[in-house]
Amino acid sequence: MQMRGMVEVKAEFDAEQPVIEAIRAGDRFAFDEFVRRHGSWVRGVVFSVLGNRDRLDDVCQQVWTSVWEQVSRLKDSARWRPWLYSLARNAAVDAGRSQTRRRKLARAIADSPGNITGVASHGPDVQAAERKSMVFDAVQGLPPLYREPFVLRHLAGWSYQQISEVMGLPLDTVETRLVRARRMLRSALEGKV
Amino acid sequence: MSDMLDRIELLITRRLDGVLTDEESLELDRALIRSPEYRRMFEVSERIDMLCADALAEQVGHSAAGSAVVLTMAVRTKRGWGGRRAWWLMPAGAAACVGWMMWAGAMNVRSGSGGDGLVQSDRSRNGVELAAGSDRGETKDTARSVMGADRLRNGGGVRQAGMGIPSMSRMRDSNVYGIVGGEDRIFLIEVDRIRTLQRSPALASAVPVRHEL
């Protein structure tokens, strides 16, 4: 049966473009859905630049506020992903600059003798939690150059192509950074997890 | 040797990211068979990858605040609520919360014929929410009720129903649908307009039902 007025959807159709248009028109439901779909990787971008979770929620709120306020400036809705990535990254960079001293203090606390690894655990759940914490700390410890593509790959599940597109890097460079990120993590975690 | 190690590292990364060609896969397998060191490297990398994905998803992936808060925050500009007195936003937000709560305790909907065949919404799926095979029966849709039937009987108000068309202009006009469910029940359905845009191929040929109330 055919539906009157139905528009055939082409395979290359980007489902987000109508959503962007709807947000431009002030559609709050569309905005809510957009946040629901992309909130996770935006958080990943912010985290990968900040290197910690201290202000993650605050910065992400700023990002979404910026999306709402600035969506009219996005001339080509097909380029929404790099645009959103830029917003997220810039917000994180600004937050990082203003919070440098606080971040150093947070690291000092995280590395304090109070956070001892290798202490006998009380059970498998505690061991698993310690392991996760160790792994997460190792990811935080990656240089931002390698942390960004690594987080996008592992949190957002992006392909090399998508990472290359938003970060403005050649595919080979994305791959090389992932190789090096994994090398550093192996070096930090081998024998401990 | 260092070149070989670099090569194996690269192949391991490609395997973990699922971008290995068949030839590269064969090359890596041979290397892993020959060398316990490379095998260990691969196993450690694979394990760390899994742990990283879990740790990131848990520690970074989700906000405790939720998207509702984001939306409320996002409409406030530096000038304050869009630069005008949008005082109605707060009570509207509260009404939306009440609507959600009513939805959570809304009457059961089930698939079937007779006009009350509505399937509970599954937000994890994309596809047409209102796809009907025929007139008022066999509404095999995935939508959620936003108001109880009592309100409707008491004149809660139902907007003219529309069709699920992947067109934003239409969806903007009529995102609330009334489906007559039997003699004494009317379901008000709020269609998730975003999912309607992403029409699943399986439902692409369905005919929407138009009900005017």
Side-chain angles (χ1 to χ4, degrees), chain B residues 102 106-107 145-156 184-188:
Chain B
M102 290 176 74
M107 63 193 75
S145 63
V146 293
M147 288 189 208
D150 285 343
R151 284 190 62 181
L152 297 171
R153 285 197 214 103
N154 295 331
D184 61 348
R185 284 189 294 177
I186 302 172
F187 295 89
L188 254 197

Side-chain angles (χ1 to χ4, degrees), chain B residues 22-39:
Chain B
D22 290 342
E23 293 76 18
E24 289 171 339
S25 184
L26 201 57
E27 180 186 350
L28 179 59
D29 288 339
R30 284 179 182 149
L32 296 180
I33 289 169
R34 278 199 306 265
S35 166
E37 180 195 351
Y38 294 158
R39 272 202 303 279

Side-chain angles (χ1 to χ4, degrees), chain A residues 178-191:
Chain A
L178 288 172
V179 170
R180 289 181 184 166
R182 285 181 167 115
R183 182 187 299 162
M184 290 181 186
L185 289 171
R186 250 193 341 265
S187 172
L189 296 170
E190 190 167 3

Side-chain angles (χ1 to χ4, degrees), chain B residues 12 16 41-51:
Chain B
I12 288 174
L16 292 174
M41 187 191 302
F42 175 74
E43 285 162 5
V44 170
S45 296
E46 192 177 39
R47 178 166 173 71
I48 290 174
D49 248 37
M50 277 170 23
L51 290 170

Side-chain angles (χ1 to χ4, degrees), chain B residues 4 11 25 33 40 52-53 58 60 82 84 110 122 124-125 127-128 134 136 142 168 191 197 205 209:
Chain B
M4 184 63 180
L11 293 178
S25 184
I33 289 169
R40 176 162 175 72
C52 284
E58 187 179 301
V60 176
R84 56 184 185 277
R110 57 190 157 77
D122 178 355
S124 65
R125 283 192 290 147
V128 172
S134 60
R136 42 195 273 177
T142 52
M168 281 314 295
V191 174
L197 289 172
S205 61
V209 176

Side-chain angles (χ1 to χ4, degrees), chain A residues 20-175:
Chain A
I20 295 290
E21 294 302 328
I23 296 173
R24 266 204 245 256
D27 188 332
R28 292 167 57 195
F29 293 105
F31 177 76
D32 195 19
E33 180 68 12
F34 191 71
V35 170
R36 189 181 70 81
R37 288 184 195 173
H38 303 290
S40 182
W41 72 258
V42 166
R43 290 176 65 81
V45 170
V46 173
F47 165 74
S48 65
V49 173
L50 284 178
N52 61 75
R53 289 173 297 163
D54 287 351
R55 292 191 57 201
L56 186 54
D57 287 341
D58 289 343
V59 177
C60 289
Q61 287 281 18
Q62 289 172 26
V63 172
W64 292 117
T65 301
S66 298
V67 167
W68 182 259
E69 291 175 351
Q70 299 178 27
V71 68
S72 56
R73 298 188 205 168
L74 175 61
K75 292 187 173 31
D76 180 4
S77 57
R79 299 278 304 160
W80 65 268
R81 197 187 294 267
W83 171 77
L84 180 54
Y85 172 84
S86 294
L87 283 180
R89 195 170 194 284
N90 291 342
V93 167
D94 290 343
R97 283 194 194 120
S98 68
Q99 295 295 322
T100 301
R101 183 180 297 180
R102 185 186 296 183
R103 200 178 355 167
K104 283 182 180 172
L105 179 59
R107 279 191 185 269
I109 292 171
D111 293 340
S112 72
N115 295 337
I116 297 172
T117 59
V119 174
S121 307
H122 299 294
D125 289 341
V126 176
Q127 285 179 331
E130 285 177 353
R131 197 163 43 233
K132 272 189 190 168
S133 175
M134 204 182 306
V135 167
F136 185 71
D137 289 346
V139 174
Q140 281 192 122
L142 289 172
L145 201 64
Y146 305 129
R147 188 170 60 223
E148 278 192 61
F150 185 83
V151 171
L152 287 174
R153 178 80 198 103
H154 285 75
L155 180 61
W158 283 7
S159 64
Y160 290 5
Q161 181 62 43
Q162 286 173 315
I163 297 172
S164 160
E165 182 191 331
V166 296
M167 293 188 70
L169 297 171
L171 278 174
D172 288 349
T173 304
V174 171
E175 189 174 57

Side-chain angles (χ1 to χ4, degrees), chain B residues 124-139:
Chain B
S124 65
R125 283 192 290 147
N126 289 325
V128 172
E129 298 306 322
L130 284 182
S134 60
D135 188 25
R136 42 195 273 177
E138 299 178 18
T139 40

